Amino acid sequence: MTKPRILMVLTSHDQLGNTGNKTGYWLEEFASPYYTFIDAGAEVALASVAGGEPPVDPTSTQPDWQTDATRRLAADAAANTALSQTTPIADVDATAFDAIFFPGGHGPMWDFPGNVKLAKLIEAFNTATKPIGAVCHGVVALVDAQKPDGSPLVAGQTVTSFTNGEEEVVGLTEVVPFLLENCLRELGAAISNGEDFSVNVVTNENLVTGQNPQSSAAGAKGILSLLNGA
C-alpha cells in the first residue's frame, strides 16, 4: 500500500501584534502531529506561507512547554533540516498530497487570513474530498476558503478552535486581530467547545479541527482515521 502523503503548513509571521513580542507556530502543535504521522508510516512534507524557515513562538520553546515530541524534534536533524527549508505555499501542488494539516500558534492569525493562495489550496483539497486538519489557531486557515457554491467552507460544519475563553486566559484577547471563535460563528459554523485546555477534536465530513495544543496529537490521529477510511 502506498504511504499517504501529508502536507503540514506553517505560519511565516513572527510579530505578536503591536506588543513588540515575537510569535510564530507553537512548537508542540507541530512536533506532536508530525511524529504521529511519521510513526503511522506517512510521508510528511512541510510548507509555509513564505517558504524557508518558519518562526517558532519563543514561549513554546521554554522548558515548561516541552513534551516527548518536542524533545524528539530537538534531536532530529533530518526534521530540523526540513523545517529550515519549507516550500512556499504558492509552489505547492495539492494533487501530490492525500491530506493537509495546519498547526497553530498565534502567528497564523496574521498571515493565514486574507491569503488567496492558501484559500485556493484548501479549496483544492476540499474539492477532492481529501482530509483537512487544523489545530488551535491553525483553524484560521479555513476562514477564507469556500465551497464550490461560493459559501464559506465552514458554513454548516461543526468545528472547534482556540476558544474565546482560552484567549482570555492567555491574555491576548486585545492583541489578536480578531477572535477566531467569533469569526467561525459569523461564517455559519457550529462551534463545539470543550473545557479550556482540554483535549477536544471534532471530525465533520473531511474536516478535522482541534481546540488547543492539548488536542494536537488527537487531531493528527483524526486525519489518519479519515485516510484509513474509518
Side-chain angles (χ1 to χ4, degrees):
M1 182 177 177
T2 305
K3 289 183 175 182
R5 298 201 72 218
I6 301 173
L7 180 68
M8 297 184 72
V9 181
L10 298 155
T11 181
S12 295
H13 185 87
D14 70 351
Q15 296 297 313
L16 189 61
N18 297 319
T19 64
N21 296 324
K22 294 290 188 179
T23 190
Y25 69 91
W26 194 259
L27 185 61
E28 196 279 338
E29 291 178 34
F30 167 75
S32 189
Y34 178 80
Y35 288 113
T36 298
F37 295 145
I38 292 292
D39 291 347
E43 293 183 9
V44 179
L46 307 181
S48 63
V49 172
E53 186 167 8
V56 60
D57 189 310
T59 301
S60 72
T61 67
Q62 297 303 304
D64 287 350
W65 295 104
Q66 300 317 293
T67 64
D68 288 345
T70 64
R71 286 185 283 269
R72 181 177 172 184
L73 179 64
D76 189 337
N80 281 282
T81 296
L83 259 176
S84 71
Q85 302 171 353
T86 66
T87 301
I89 56 171
D91 296 339
V92 170
D93 177 5
T95 64
F97 299 97
D98 301 299
I100 191 169
F101 190 89
F102 297 90
H106 279 86
M109 291 295 294
W110 280 271
D111 68 349
F112 281 8
N115 191 309
V116 175
K117 292 174 181 175
L118 182 60
K120 294 300 181 185
L121 181 63
I122 293 169
E123 289 166 6
F125 276 84
N126 189 58
T127 298
T129 325
K130 294 177 179 179
I132 300 168
V135 64
C136 201
H137 293 93
V139 180
V140 77
L142 307 179
V143 301
D144 292 318
Q146 296 181 341
K147 299 174 185 176
D149 64 4
S151 63
L153 178 64
V154 298
Q157 302 275 37
T158 301
V159 298
T160 191
S161 72
F162 204 63
T163 69
N164 291 349
E166 288 168 330
E167 202 72 80
E168 186 173 349
V169 169
V170 300
L172 294 175
T173 298
E174 301 301 324
V175 174
V176 290
F178 55 89
L179 293 174
L180 181 51
E181 179 185 335
N182 289 355
C183 178
L184 293 166
R185 290 185 192 279
E186 290 165 5
L187 290 170
I191 306 299
S192 176
N193 288 342
E195 295 294 322
D196 286 357
F197 304 105
S198 66
V199 177
N200 181 39
V201 172
V202 177
T203 298
N204 195 145
E205 297 180 354
N206 63 319
L207 290 183
V208 179
T209 50
Q211 181 173 317
N212 44 37
Q214 291 76 12
S215 307
S216 57
K221 290 176 183 176
I223 291 292
L224 292 171
S225 291
L226 290 180
L227 288 172
N228 291 328

